[in-house]
Amino acid sequence: MKVLHVITGLGIGGAEQQLRLLLRHLPYEADVVTLTNPGAVARAIVREGGRVRNLDMAGNRDLSALPRLTRLIAQGHYDLVHTHLYRACLYGRLAAKLARVRTIVATEHSLGETRMEGRRLGPAVRGLYLASERLGTTTVAVSDTIARRLTDWGVPEHRVQVVPNGIDAARFAFDTRTREKVRRTLGLPPRAFVIGGVGRLTAGKRFHTLIDALAELPHAMLVLAGTGEQEQPLRARADRLGLADRVVFVGECVQDGTAPAGHRPTLAGLLCAVDCLASPSGEESFGLAVVEGLAAGLPVAYVTCPAIDDLPPGSAPGALRTGRTAAAFADALGELQRSGRRLRQPVPDAVRHYSVTSTSAQLVRVYETAAARTPRRPAARPAPDARAAGPAGQPPAGATDIPTNLSEKEESR
């Protein structure tokens, strides 16, 4: 089976990192197309031997991307197209259908109660999503919570399969030397109580709550890993509260040892360096950062995390569900700070439940089942548009291969 993954962008984020991880474990020949933003995850996939093509889409309404993506799919003779994230699902499903691909799978990573990837879930967004969903074969939900939301929307239950996000827990194992090294790199005092926050710096992640809570936690420090439009407002908030010297903005951290130019810690290294993880987001589809924190042996305070909340009670004893307010986080984190405990906790059952080997095996079953129930089309796929094709082995017009010989400047972005 030859598979094409279509994703909206490949900057650092949960869905993007999840795709990269799955590519290592799925037993198929696979390529990746990113509609835009071939960022750090795209470069990491290429370094690991994958091929990524950038469609260089100009925006949500760049309709010229549709015929370019359709030609690319047709030329690749893919047996299955798997789409990820809202824009890629809209364009990717339709392009795959036009290219006469038999099996189209989409993963729903980011459907919240009121928002999807930052968009308000109004009638237009919901209607467009449901119209495109009908073009596919199967929709994968990353949690039971997402599956319920999809069926409540009107997606037929038989079209929804739950395949949770997976993690490689061994990569997050605590290491004392890594902790010391990362603390020195970030300028964190060896004995300081350090709170970690991981995710895109957007309004929906509500990291301002942690800055406000920090004001009530003398001598504690906060490390935020991620980038986004809220970075400057968060910096300004920390400065206004007199906390600028206690809040460290790390930037993007990839999952393992392929950090750009080695000047930022990996995510695993960052989790070694902090003493607890806090997730103030009020809308999560899965809560991957919480599970990764637990894999690192950290206590975690969170507002919502379907990955934990959908499991039986007691599956994650190190995870504490708390209120949305800064006061609630100050209470929960203050108790951890006062306890003086710096030893790591045993990795809970919840982490083993989300092993990437289990996730990839479940996804293989989804692929095989979806392919088996899709009837073969009697007609052959249309021949590629000769005007769109470049020289042999080259991507079609409008798509660019992400190169392997990246310059130091590109690596440092």
Side-chain angles (χ1 to χ4, degrees):
M1 185 184 294
K2 187 178 181 184
V3 178
L4 177 69
H5 294 272
V6 183
I7 191 165
T8 300
L10 281 171
I12 291 179
E16 297 84 351
Q17 301 263 37
Q18 187 65 196
L19 172 57
R20 176 191 171 199
L21 184 59
L22 284 171
L23 288 170
R24 302 173 183 167
H25 291 268
L26 291 172
Y28 304 113
E29 178 186 357
D31 296 326
V32 179
V33 168
T34 180
L35 300 187
T36 185
N37 186 25
V41 177
R43 298 192 289 273
I45 291 171
V46 171
R47 280 193 294 266
E48 293 166 358
R51 182 166 67 166
V52 180
R53 287 174 171 173
N54 175 24
L55 207 65
D56 201 23
M57 191 174 180
N60 289 338
R61 299 182 181 181
D62 180 6
L63 298 181
S64 70
L66 180 60
R68 289 186 282 127
L69 181 56
T70 302
R71 289 191 293 262
L72 188 151
I73 294 172
Q75 290 175 8
H77 301 288
Y78 295 100
D79 301 295
L80 184 147
V81 170
H82 187 165
T83 64
H84 308 261
L85 299 177
Y86 182 75
R87 194 196 311 181
C89 285
L90 297 183
Y91 281 85
R93 283 173 173 140
L94 181 53
K97 200 75 171 178
L98 293 172
R100 303 182 67 80
V101 173
R102 292 177 53 219
T103 311
I104 305 168
V105 174
T107 293
E108 180 45 61
H109 295 270
S110 306
L111 177 58
E113 292 182 1
T114 61
R115 289 181 176 271
M116 176 187 287
E117 298 168 35
R119 300 174 180 85
R120 286 194 175 278
L121 291 176
V125 170
R126 181 180 300 190
L128 197 56
Y129 182 92
L130 290 175
S132 73
E133 198 280 334
R134 296 186 187 99
L135 299 176
T137 311
T138 300
T139 295
V140 172
V142 298
S143 66
D144 291 333
T145 296
I146 296 303
R148 288 192 295 270
R149 288 173 185 165
L150 286 169
T151 55
D152 287 347
W153 269 24
V155 178
E157 189 172 349
H158 72 272
R159 292 173 57 86
V160 179
Q161 296 293 320
V162 177
V163 179
N165 286 325
I167 73 164
D168 186 350
R171 292 181 179 271
F172 294 94
F174 178 71
D175 180 79
T176 302
R177 287 178 296 181
T178 299
R179 175 184 174 87
E180 294 170 353
K181 178 181 177 181
V182 173
R183 285 210 165 201
R184 284 196 304 269
T185 299
L186 298 181
L188 302 173
R191 297 182 180 277
F193 178 76
V194 181
I195 303 157
V198 176
R200 287 195 175 100
L201 303 185
T202 60
K205 294 296 185 181
R206 302 181 68 252
F207 285 121
H208 67 279
T209 305
L210 300 185
I211 293 176
D212 292 350
L214 189 68
E216 305 301 321
L217 301 171
H219 312 300
M221 298 188 70
L222 172 65
V223 173
L224 293 177
T227 59
E229 74 273 6
Q230 286 294 305
E231 180 172 346
Q232 289 308 315
L234 289 170
R235 287 180 180 273
R237 193 184 197 97
D239 186 59
R240 188 168 62 251
L241 293 174
L243 303 172
D245 60 340
R246 290 203 279 143
V247 181
V248 179
F249 291 84
V250 180
E252 294 180 328
C253 295
V254 293
Q255 284 187 334
D256 51 34
T258 55
H263 70 288
R264 287 195 294 271
T266 64
L267 180 56
L270 181 77
L271 294 178
C272 279
V274 303
D275 297 301
C276 65
L277 187 75
S279 176
S281 171
E283 283 201 20
E284 288 290 333
S285 301
F286 182 80
L288 190 59
V290 171
V291 180
E292 290 166 342
L294 293 171
L298 291 171
V300 179
Y302 72 95
V303 173
T304 180
C305 177
I308 302 303
D309 297 336
D310 289 345
L311 293 181
S315 299
L320 171 66
R321 188 168 188 175
T322 189
R324 295 170 55 96
T325 65
F329 271 95
D331 287 345
L333 298 172
E335 185 174 343
L336 291 173
Q337 182 182 17
R338 289 188 294 272
S339 73
R341 290 183 289 116
R342 298 294 187 272
L343 296 177
R344 297 291 157 136
Q345 304 179 96
V347 175
D349 291 341
V351 173
R352 286 182 282 274
H353 181 80
Y354 295 117
S355 164
V356 68
T357 56
S358 173
T359 292
S360 59
Q362 291 177 64
L363 194 54
V364 165
R365 290 194 290 272
V366 168
Y367 282 6
E368 300 292 344
T369 301
R373 75 166 184 255
T374 308
R376 288 190 175 277
R377 295 183 182 274
R381 288 181 190 160
D385 186 340
R387 294 171 298 173
Q394 297 296 313
T400 305
D401 279 334
I402 306 302
T404 56
N405 56 334
L406 297 169
S407 68
E408 183 176 344
K409 181 177 179 181
E410 289 173 312
E411 286 284 280
S412 301
R413 288 177 184 171

